[in-house]
Amino acid sequence: MSDNMPTGWDVLDAAHQALRQAVAGVPADGWALPTPCAKWNVTQVLQHAAGDQVGFAAFLTGEPGPAENPFEPTGELAEDPRTYAEAAMERSARAWAGVDKNAEQVPVPVPPNTMAPALGAGACALDAAVHAWDIAVATGQLSPLTPELAGELLPVAKAIVEPLRQWGAYAAVVPAEPGDDEVAELLRYLGRNPAWTA
């Protein structure tokens, strides 16, 4: 991204790279494995993550949204998962690149459905990065969610998550433990156990 873009775009680039890394690392027999998202396997988490990226793009551009409901993923893909994920991230990145960084508000699929541009891009990044972690830990990979990225996303989470908990979008905060780094702090705030294993 160009130097005149706000921080939110840089965070989105990093989050997309984390999701790209996680998807690339899924073994051929790993797409049906369980994930920290209790009701979803790896394919379903990918469908949700990709659908959310397309959803952000659709709000920003007015183009059609995801072909299926990201909150009811089928677990079945008609195309290669990597191609599917890349297409969604490219569409998201292209939509955000067209946003005026000086705009007061932009439309987003997260209540209250408008946000300052940098916060909106951060919300989009938060979704991609956390689901990258879901996919990675479910398939035995190292976490692509780095402490640096998590540290940038935590203020975004704290700005947008609380109103969404009442709708079940996020579980309750998981209590902190000694030795938590930025990744653990972010995951716990979002209701995830950083020590989750399949």
Side-chain angles (χ1 to χ4, degrees), residues 145-155 181-187:
L145 177 55
T146 64
E148 179 183 20
L149 179 55
E152 294 200 54
L153 291 173
L154 185 59
D181 63 3
E182 293 89 345
V183 173
E185 185 179 1
L186 176 64
L187 294 171

Side-chain angles (χ1 to χ4, degrees), residues 93-110:
R94 191 166 55 248
W96 282 107
V99 169
D100 178 2
K101 70 174 186 175
N102 295 314
E104 288 189 13
Q105 300 279 300
V106 294
V108 293
V110 179

Side-chain angles (χ1 to χ4, degrees), residues 35-49:
T35 71
C37 299
K39 298 179 181 179
W40 293 346
N41 63 24
V42 173
T43 300
Q44 289 170 304
V45 169
L46 174 58
Q47 287 177 297
H48 173 77

Side-chain angles (χ1 to χ4, degrees), residues 4 12 22-23 31 36 53 66 92 107 116 119 124 127 135 141 149 154 168 188 191 193 195-196:
N4 64 351
L12 183 59
V23 171
W31 295 101
Q53 293 302 306
S92 173
L119 181 60
C124 188
D127 190 274
I135 291 170
Q141 303 177 55
L149 179 55
L154 185 59
R188 290 183 192 281
N193 178 1
W196 184 92

Side-chain angles (χ1 to χ4, degrees), residues 12-97:
L12 183 59
D13 285 344
H16 281 171
Q17 184 54 37
L19 183 56
R20 187 175 290 116
Q21 177 183 332
V23 171
V26 177
D29 61 352
W31 295 101
L33 291 173
T35 71
C37 299
K39 298 179 181 179
W40 293 346
N41 63 24
V42 173
T43 300
Q44 289 170 304
V45 169
L46 174 58
Q47 287 177 297
H48 173 77
D52 282 353
Q53 293 302 306
V54 171
F56 273 95
F59 266 69
L60 291 169
T61 64
E63 297 172 356
E68 66 177 23
N69 183 348
F71 292 92
E72 295 180 2
T74 62
E76 298 177 7
L77 287 177
E79 60 187 301
D80 177 75
R82 292 160 185 83
T83 303
Y84 175 79
E86 196 61 44
M89 288 186 283
E90 286 178 4
R91 186 169 166 190
S92 173
R94 191 166 55 248
W96 282 107

